[in-house]
Amino acid sequence: MEVNGKKFEQLAALVSEKLAKELQRPCETCQCETPDAATSSACIFASMEEAIETAYKAQKKFSVMTLEDRRRITDSIVSHLMTHVRELAQMGVDETGMGNVEDKVFKHKMILQKTPSVEMLKPEVFTGDHGVTLIEMSPFGVIGALTPSTNPSETIINNSIIMLAAGNSVVFCPHPGACKTSNRAVTLVNEAVAAAGGPEGLVVSIDNPTMDKSQIMFKHKKISMLCATGGPGVVQAVLSSGKKAIGAGAGNPPVLVDDTVDLNKAAKDIIDGCTFDNNLPCIAEKSVVVLDHVGDKLIEDMRRNGAYLLTDEETISRLTKMVLPDGETPSREFVGRSAVNILAKLNITAPPTTRVIIFEAQPEHPLVMNEQLMPVLPIVRVSDVHKGIDLCCEIEGGRRHSAICHSNDVNVLSEYGRRVQTTIFVKNGPSFAGSGAGGEGYTTATIAGPTGEGLVTAANFTRKRRCVMVDSFYIR
Ligand code: NAD
């Protein structure tokens, strides 16, 4: 295969050699005290302006490359990053203190295996007596992307694949609390791009990310589009920027359980979903609403599947104040921590097999109505399914994110799905089935409820352009 007149294998060998030398050299731009291979790279900048300028020049070169080139580059990201999955998973846990390594390994693999590339770019055509009209999908240019601490390297990898597949370059502004892991992923993505013959600087990032640096990105003329994956603050910020923006924000997914299902299976599914990566995923189960007369059985089945039941009101109140001090925002000290660790802070020694803390709550309880991002799962009883659906809609709170239902009654499934209007609605499975793990369909790290793109793909980073041939070119 030839790339820019050179044999691909020759080019890849040259680039690998150059990169190896680069990585041994101390970083000039990175302000880390001890530059190392994890952060030192030509793709990590101290200055946001420099990062944007580099990505802008790279995109100009990229724009003349073919769809086959884009495919080869995204395939290279998949194969190269697949060999660094455990390293990134471990780094994410070490740096943020959140989540667990095995689940992060799983998440990275799923992102690599199930993120679609150029195949999502489907042109449209109209033909008739007046000729042929094509709708083609062109890149925006340089995308500015903000990434979260809860899913750092996974988001960098997924966003790189989809933004590059669409023909763009990308400037990342990673979460300060996960900067090292995020920038390690950016560096690895660059190695893969270079090995596949892509231009240098297609995927760049900054060190020491700050609000001021993201503001520069929001206002910069050479950034054509923004994408924010994070909480409500960052979604609000990109939507106020005046640029085209995708906002993927917070969720608070409720689970409804009625009396038509195998309760033991429902309990297992709920606990598997809720405890995955210590409840960090925005799609993970955050509260349970159950029909009163099957509540006892569901709780018993949850206990058999690793749930630790709190019944003492005083302990439940201490837990609530500890993990949600202002009654709305979860304490960073407990986000993504294990149930055993959270219980230990309450001076409760739980068996090491404990996966989640459960307790019964009133509907208005702050841990029901707010997103806690930790394996603490309140359970609310209701007298009938209609009240249950009403309550689930209230808990979801118009975030348009995710909801889960365990029922074999098609009317309940339909009414709940229709009324809750979430981007993801999972029936009779763990929440992660909604992102493609154990359910059908592709995956993403960016679920855009507020701006409506859904589970974003390459197509969402393109501009539709119309090309019209008048009165000819049809072959009827
Ligand atoms: P966060 O919201 O604290 O930060 C996300 C990024 O935005 C970071 O880079 C941060 O520095 C930056 N940022 C935050 N506020 C900003 C502002 N006003 N201006 C400029 N930059 C700003 O993210 P987090 O706490 O790591 O992520 C957790 C949240 O993200 C949860 O609410 C979770 O549900 C949500 N999330 C959503 C998705 C999705 O696809 N919808 C995916 C992952 C996480």
Side-chain angles (χ1 to χ4, degrees):
M1 187 188 305
E2 298 240 326
V3 179
N4 295 341
K6 287 190 182 175
K7 281 255 180 263
F8 171 60
E9 291 78 8
Q10 276 176 337
L11 197 65
L14 273 171
V15 173
S16 297
E17 197 184 319
K18 184 168 174 270
L19 263 166
K21 281 186 189 150
E22 280 287 332
L23 289 172
Q24 282 161 16
R25 212 179 58 202
C27 179
E28 283 158 18
T29 52
C30 175
Q31 293 176 2
C32 293
E33 281 173 18
T34 51
D36 58 17
T39 49
S40 306
S41 153
C43 52
I44 313 294
F45 293 85
S47 139
M48 177 56 88
E49 285 91 346
E50 239 186 283
I52 294 172
E53 206 52 56
T54 303
Y56 182 78
K57 285 183 188 145
Q59 202 276 331
K60 291 282 165 235
K61 293 180 192 157
F62 194 37
S63 66
V64 296
M65 293 176 81
T66 64
L67 279 175
E68 196 191 324
D69 292 331
R70 292 190 207 169
R71 162 68 80 189
R72 195 185 54 256
I73 287 168
T74 59
D75 282 353
S76 174
I77 294 172
V78 172
S79 56
H80 185 47
L81 272 286
M82 198 56 99
T83 62
H84 291 272
V85 156
R86 188 160 289 278
E87 172 202 337
L88 289 169
Q90 185 68 57
M91 233 179 141
V93 172
D94 291 346
E95 184 179 13
T96 65
M98 304 190 294
N100 70 70
V101 174
E102 291 314 316
D103 290 347
K104 285 193 188 294
V105 166
F106 181 90
K107 265 202 283 187
H108 280 86
K109 285 186 179 167
M110 188 178 74
I111 288 285
L112 288 164
Q113 285 162 351
K114 296 195 87 170
T115 298
S117 175
V118 291
E119 67 271 23
M120 298 308 275
L121 307 177
K122 295 189 180 102
E124 293 169 62
V125 61
F126 298 88
T127 97
D129 296 341
H130 293 297
V132 174
T133 292
L134 283 176
I135 311 287
E136 291 264 50
M137 303 170 94
S138 292
F140 263 89
V142 187
I143 313 286
L146 292 116
T147 54
S149 61
T150 49
N151 212 22
S153 39
E154 299 91 325
T155 307
I156 297 279
I157 296 167
N158 166 269
N159 282 191
S160 298
I161 293 173
I162 59 182
M163 290 167 187
L164 265 52
N168 304 289
S169 60
V170 50
V171 179
F172 282 109
C173 188
H175 195 289
C179 182
K180 198 170 175 194
T181 310
S182 305
N183 285 349
R184 174 64 178 147
V186 169
T187 301
L188 290 167
V189 165
N190 271 270
E191 290 174 14
V193 171
E200 195 174 325
L202 264 192
V203 177
V204 298
S205 181
I206 51 162
D207 55 22
N208 291 332
T210 59
M211 291 286 186
D212 288 346
K213 288 187 188 177
S214 49
Q215 286 303 325
I216 295 171
M217 186 164 95
F218 294 170
K219 292 185 185 130
H220 203 288
K221 277 192 182 145
K222 287 181 178 167
I223 293 284
S224 321
M225 180 179 175
L226 295 165
C227 178
T229 309
V234 66
V235 171
Q236 174 71 33
V238 296
L239 294 185
S240 316
S241 68
K243 290 188 192 289
K244 158 86 178 172
I246 289 180
N252 191 31
V255 190
L256 179 67
V257 184
D258 75 8
D259 53 4
T260 63
V261 284
D262 173 347
L263 290 167
N264 188 42
K265 179 184 178 296
K268 184 177 180 315
D269 284 348
I270 292 167
I271 292 195
D272 286 349
C274 163
T275 58
F276 184 77
D277 208 17
N278 294 344
N279 199 255
L280 284 180
C282 48
I283 59 168
E285 292 81 347
K286 302 285 189 276
S287 59
V288 175
V289 174
V290 61
L291 287 191
D292 190 8
H293 65 279
V294 294
D296 289 347
K297 166 91 169 78
L298 183 75
I299 288 171
E300 233 7 79
D301 288 335
M302 289 173 95
R303 291 180 74 188
R304 275 193 286 109
N305 282 284
Y308 190 97
L309 176 67
L310 294 180
T311 51
D312 170 48
E313 282 307 321
E314 196 266 330
T315 312
I316 296 168
S317 165
R318 273 200 298 134
L319 168 74
T320 308
K321 285 193 188 115
M322 185 177 86
V323 300
L324 213 61
D326 67 358
E328 278 183 15
T329 324
S331 157
R332 281 271 163 192
E333 196 188 335
F334 298 102
V335 168
R337 298 321 196 264
S338 73
V340 172
N341 282 340
I342 297 169
L343 286 166
K345 291 276 179 184
L346 293 169
N347 297 319
I348 297 171
T349 311
T353 49
T354 302
R355 299 169 70 196
V356 58
I357 303 163
I358 57 171
F359 62 94
E360 290 199 45
Q362 292 302 310
E364 60 282 359
H365 193 282
L367 283 167
V368 174
M369 290 299 168
N370 296 285
E371 184 195 41
Q372 67 271 37
L373 297 162
M374 62 189 79
V376 172
L377 190 68
I379 299 168
V380 184
R381 294 179 192 247
V382 284
S383 53
D384 66 67
V385 279
H386 302 291
K387 286 190 179 133
I389 292 170
D390 287 348
L391 178 56
C392 285
C393 292
E394 211 183 315
I395 294 170
E396 208 287 320
R399 294 171 178 89
R400 299 184 169 179
H401 204 296
S402 301
I404 302 102
C405 188
H406 291 273
S407 172
N408 282 318
D409 181 337
V410 73
N411 294 320
V412 172
L413 291 165
S414 303
E415 187 190 333
Y416 181 18
R418 202 177 56 245
R419 286 200 36 215
V420 75
Q421 286 288 316
T422 44
T423 304
I424 295 179
F425 184 62
V426 177
K427 300 168 183 167
N428 299 331
S431 52
F432 47 69
S435 66
E440 290 300 325
Y442 66 86
T443 200
T444 191
T446 298
I447 299 157
T451 47
E453 291 78 6
L455 282 78
V456 301
T457 71
N460 301 117
F461 297 96
T462 60
R463 296 181 304 125
K464 287 193 171 187
R465 295 173 55 222
R466 176 181 276 219
C467 180
V468 182
M469 170 66 95
V470 180
D471 288 344
S472 58
F473 238 58
Y474 55 82
I475 55 168
R476 281 186 310 282

